[in-house]
Amino acid sequence: GDQVEQSPSALSLHEGTDSALRCNFTTTMRSVQWFRQNSRGSLISLFYLASGTKENGRLKSAFDSKERRYSTLHIRDAQLEDSGTYFCAAEATGGNNKLTFGQGTVLSVIP
Amino acid sequence: NAGVIQTPRHKVTGKGQEATLWCEPISGHSAVFWYRQTIVQGLEFLTYFRNQAPIDDSGMPKERFSAQMPNQSHSTLKIQSTQPQDSAVYLCASSFTGSDYTFGSGTRLLVI
């Protein structure tokens, strides 16, 4: 089946630093969505992209518009409240709206 | 907009009992999805409705699991004869377009 490979699986960042998460797809995807799961378990949508890039505050996401085989999530000036588990999820072309999730990145921001 | 509402938030059942989980999608959203999250398997697709009609149930275990959407304001996921391996967080999501999901807070099911 369609595979979503997310990296890294875990990441520790000092406050104020920048980093990026990445998802590679084994097949062409129609769209990608990034989520953060908070300590209560709620999946909060960060970005939905069918192509190109989107930015919201210190977060920016990109979806490779040409081959549609990867997406990135950039975190700038990391803050303590950014800690959590981040998931990417992608919808395959012709995939009937079903999302396939990556395994997640556990992000810890430390003072 | 109260978002996607899932009830109950937590449910504990004895092995062999039935569990019914409820989901109220965002008003106006025609697509409703059910997912299951476990430590081992991560987030797995279960089933999908559009305009109340079942579209794809390829992720549903063939036995004991069923889902319905009797009207546009709620969907149910029923697990008969629950087993310990059914313990998971069950997540419901809705979407206006079929993409760009909004998830509920989930129901944490524990089978003992």
Side-chain angles (χ1 to χ4, degrees):
Chain A
D2 302 329
Q3 294 290 325
V4 176
E5 299 162 355
Q6 186 171 347
S7 63
S9 57
L11 180 62
S12 286
L13 293 178
H14 284 283
E15 270 187 299
T17 60
D18 306 343
S19 191
L21 314 180
R22 182 178 174 109
C23 279
N24 292 326
F25 313 127
T26 58
T27 188
T28 300
M29 295 298 185
R30 176 189 296 174
S31 65
V32 64
Q33 196 164 358
W34 285 89
F35 299 90
R36 178 171 60 225
Q37 190 164 41
N38 62 23
S39 57
R40 296 188 64 201
S42 296
L43 275 170
I44 310 299
S45 179
L46 301 175
F47 296 104
Y48 167 78
L49 298 104
S51 66
T53 63
K54 286 188 178 178
E55 190 167 357
N56 184 4
R58 295 178 293 100
L59 299 179
K60 181 177 179 179
S61 183
F63 180 30
D64 162 41
S65 301
K66 188 175 180 182
E67 297 192 357
R68 313 184 76 79
R69 298 287 290 263
Y70 73 88
S71 176
T72 55
L73 177 68
H74 293 262
I75 302 171
R76 176 175 56 80
D77 185 25
Q79 301 297 305
L80 297 177
E81 62 264 28
D82 296 330
S83 295
T85 303
Y86 290 76
F87 291 95
C88 69
E91 178 190 354
T93 304
N96 208 15
N97 300 127
K98 181 170 64 178
L99 285 182
T100 302
F101 280 80
Q103 288 299 306
T105 297
V106 180
L107 173 65
S108 301
V109 181
I110 52 181
Chain B
N1 184 351
V4 176
I5 299 171
Q6 287 190 251
T7 54
R9 284 282 283 141
H10 302 273
K11 186 171 183 66
V12 180
T13 65
K15 181 180 173 181
Q17 292 185 326
E18 182 177 287
T20 300
L21 314 180
W22 294 71
C23 172
E24 180 180 331
I26 291 173
S27 178
H29 282 194
S30 60
V32 173
F33 305 84
W34 284 94
Y35 283 75
R36 174 170 65 180
Q37 185 176 23
T38 60
I39 298 293
V40 174
Q41 297 294 331
L43 280 145
E44 301 175 285
F45 169 81
L46 293 176
T47 190
Y48 163 35
F49 295 88
R50 180 176 279 280
N51 294 320
Q52 300 171 234
I55 301 298
D56 183 349
D57 67 353
S58 58
M60 292 279 275
K62 296 308 176 192
E63 297 178 357
R64 303 187 295 106
F65 281 66
S66 62
Q68 295 184 333
M69 191 161 184
N71 56 60
Q72 63 186 7
S73 64
H74 87 274
S75 175
T76 57
L77 180 67
K78 185 178 293 185
I79 309 172
Q80 294 177 312
S81 186
T82 54
Q83 302 297 309
Q85 61 265 30
D86 299 332
S87 298
V89 177
Y90 289 83
L91 291 157
C92 177
S94 72
S95 170
F96 178 70
T97 62
S99 304
D100 197 4
Y101 291 22
T102 300
F103 276 91
S105 298
T107 294
R108 192 174 297 271
L109 176 67
L110 177 63
V111 182
I112 56 175

